[in-house]
Amino acid sequence: MSAKQMVKAFYDLDLAKDEGVINHFHKDCELKWHSSKGYTKLDLQGLQKMLEGVKASFHSFKYRLSHLLEDANTITARYTIYVTSIERPKKEDALAHFISIWEVKDGKLYRGYEMSQLADDTPESLNSYAEIKV
């Protein structure tokens, strides 16, 4: 499987439902994430804890890709995360917009760099994240 196919397989998951999500990450992985709440650095243990929080808070947690670009073993993804919360199980909402860059090593997500902001759910904004080049 190519690096792009591997990353695409990850982004096709529902993080709230799919078991074994953590297996997509390299044992020595590291994610550096800049969000509207500040900077976070996560290793495999931190990612596991975050995934447990996702499963406890959401019925569904899905990615909708607009771009997935490949340069050797480095993949750039642009996407919106959509969730169905425990409190509102019949309503799916856009949660946040992301740009992520992943280095793939041994067929797993190894080094990640992300920037995110809370979703602007206006039609114009969401349409800008419509599938373009995956």
Side-chain angles (χ1 to χ4, degrees), residues 39-92:
Y39 174 73
T40 303
K41 182 177 175 183
L42 299 169
D43 60 7
L44 188 63
Q45 184 178 5
L47 287 165
Q48 179 67 46
K49 187 174 179 178
M50 184 186 69
L51 290 168
E52 290 167 4
V54 165
K55 289 181 182 291
S57 300
F58 300 104
H59 284 294
S60 68
F61 191 101
K62 300 176 184 176
Y63 301 100
R64 292 196 190 146
L65 290 166
S66 65
H67 292 75
L68 193 61
L69 308 172
E70 181 177 33
D71 183 14
N73 284 332
T74 302
I75 309 301
T76 302
R78 180 178 179 259
Y79 53 91
T80 300
I81 293 175
Y82 285 84
V83 298
T84 304
S85 68
I86 300 293
E87 297 83 8
R88 296 176 60 186
K90 295 184 180 187
K91 175 85 166 83
E92 183 178 67

Side-chain angles (χ1 to χ4, degrees), residues 96-125:
H97 302 299
F98 278 78
I99 297 260
S100 299
I101 302 169
W102 282 104
E103 179 185 342
V104 175
K105 181 178 179 181
D106 302 328
K108 297 189 180 236
L109 300 171
Y110 177 60
R111 292 281 181 255
Y113 307 90
E114 290 185 335
M115 290 187 73
S116 67
Q117 66 183 46
L118 293 176
D120 170 353
D121 62 0
T122 62
E124 184 176 9
S125 174

